[in-house]
Amino acid sequence: QVQLVESGGGAARPGDSLRLSCTASGFLFSAFFMGWYRQAPGKEREMVARISDQAERTYYRDSVKGRFTISRDNVKNTLYLQMDNLRPEDTADYYCVRLYGAYNPDLWGQGTQVTVSS
């Protein structure tokens, strides 16, 4: 089965770090751009970061630049999001996504919750 499974979410304090992982199966992982999206309650889904198939390029939304790092291991078929210096506004459900044509999500994980509060 083609699927993405996230893990690593949880509760954190402002300034803390978390690392999200996403394991992929059922497709040629190394042939796709991958990304992370998030959605906070009452807000629209937004792209957090994406990474090219061979990890040559990464892209981040402005609000996470310098704090988050996207990476991938094409041998392990795993995508990561290292989140440092977390802020309350990072609170959201985070989704691992496969990107068709480098930009268009066509496969989603189930999501993992990240809560940042004092």
Side-chain angles (χ1 to χ4, degrees), residues 20-101:
L20 307 183
S21 298
C22 168
T23 57
S25 59
F27 66 96
L28 186 59
F29 180 74
S30 62
F32 289 88
F33 277 52
M34 299 291 295
W36 291 95
Y37 277 68
R38 67 185 181 187
Q39 186 168 28
K43 292 189 174 182
E44 294 185 17
R45 225 178 301 126
E46 62 184 21
M47 192 275 293
V48 178
R50 64 183 189 270
I51 187 168
S52 60
D53 53 358
Q54 302 302 309
E56 312 100 322
R57 299 287 295 167
T58 57
Y59 308 85
Y60 301 91
R61 72 179 304 105
D62 286 344
S63 62
V64 309
K65 285 180 179 177
R67 301 188 299 118
F68 290 11
T69 304
I70 188 170
S71 62
R72 66 192 296 162
D73 186 331
N74 284 351
V75 174
K76 297 180 179 179
N77 288 354
T78 303
L79 179 74
Y80 303 97
L81 185 67
Q82 177 68 40
M83 304 185 294
D84 295 324
N85 194 21
L86 284 162
R87 302 170 179 171
E89 53 263 44
D90 296 320
T91 296
D93 291 331
Y94 283 73
Y95 298 89
C96 174
V97 298
R98 184 178 74 181
L99 299 171
Y100 178 82

